[in-house]
Amino acid sequence: MQPIRAWHDVTPAGFQQIRAAGEPAVLKGLVRDWPVVRATDAAAYLAAMASSKPVQFMRAQPEIEGRMHYGPTIGSRNFAAEQAPLPDFLDRLAAEAGKDRPDALALQGLSAREHLHGFAEAHPMPLLPAEVPARLWIGNAAKVAIHHDPSENIACVAAGHRRFTLFSPEQVGNLYMGPFNPTPAGVQVSMAHLTAPDLTRYPRFAAALEAAQSAELEPGDALYIPYQWYHHVEALDRFNLLVNYWWDPAPALPGSPWDAMMHALMTVRGLPADQRRAWQAMFAHYVFLADGDPGAHLPAEDRGILGATSPQHLARMHEALLAKLKG
């Protein structure tokens, strides 16, 4: 496991260079001047601006050591879902902090604009457009299993400490991912336990650990997680606050890569091995551009769908595909 490279005094222009490298990056001290980071009591700071709207959160018994995951079967969970107004949730966190063996509590992906009046305005993200929304992750010592997000991500530690372990998309075959559905909390997660790995049951996970990158962040630090990088997040203190920003710079296209993969699972995966090999080469050449532009040797007017890049061309292709699927 290697340390994630750290950068200091990152500017918007410098961040674009970091993104271009396609590697995770610790952004040291990026939000150290945020009011909630400088507050002596971050929980009280949040409570003062919290709305009375109910929020969903998770509670787990001490025995699971904060690792919220599946229960004894894929169809079960090792935690319970609860609901309360945000101030009440913060009170419950405070109550657990006084116990020798607290329950694990985790509130995930809370919309700042919906639940915390004035928070987004008081805590600008200097590297992204203002319209990218802030989401809060609040809890005590808990672990988020290895998963990935279909977007880029800047995660800012505002209170407590968090340890991040990242794996590149190419490690997917070594991560022993669970089913797409059902999932413990909405996203596909690894069946391997990062902090207590069973390498007899999941032997390839050793290769993933060797290739992993890790960092421990303190309040004011941020982490850039590139598109679809797998990550494990461990909150280390009895009160932890993370603020994150997801965004996708890809152009809006008809359909999605996810749709294409689901269709390929239906139409390609079950083919004989020699046919899968042929289609693997076709996808590499025509879709992933492994050999460059596959239509470059043709006159522009004769490239057909190889030159279909305008919204109008793509829309017609989408309509033709839908008609074929319906037929």
Side-chain angles (χ1 to χ4, degrees), residues 31-42 45 123 157-159 219-220 241:
V31 296
R32 59 177 173 263
D33 294 327
W34 273 2
V36 70
V37 174
R38 299 172 68 88
T40 55
D41 186 339
Y45 180 91
H123 300 81
V157 175
L241 169 62

Side-chain angles (χ1 to χ4, degrees), residues 279 281-310 313-314 316-317:
W279 282 108
M282 293 279 277
F283 272 67
H285 181 68
Y286 288 106
V287 177
F288 297 106
L289 309 181
D291 307 306
D293 181 357
H297 60 289
L298 298 171
E301 65 274 14
D302 294 326
R303 293 180 187 178
I305 63 172
L306 295 180
T309 57
S310 72
H313 285 151
L314 294 174
R316 285 200 293 270
M317 289 172 63

Side-chain angles (χ1 to χ4, degrees), residues 1-5 23-24 146 164-171 174-175 194 204-215 229-232:
M1 193 175 296
Q2 302 296 319
I4 299 173
R5 182 176 177 181
E23 292 285 328
I146 298 166
F164 289 82
T165 305
L166 272 63
F167 306 85
S168 72
E170 290 79 12
Q171 288 299 318
N174 295 325
L175 293 177
L194 181 81
R204 295 195 308 275
F205 191 58
L209 290 173
E210 186 175 350
Q213 299 184 41
S214 182
W229 274 62
Y230 293 88
H231 47 287
H232 179 277

Side-chain angles (χ1 to χ4, degrees), residues 192-200 202 205-206 209:
H193 191 333
L194 181 81
T195 57
D198 182 349
L199 297 182
T200 300
Y202 305 117
F205 191 58
L209 290 173

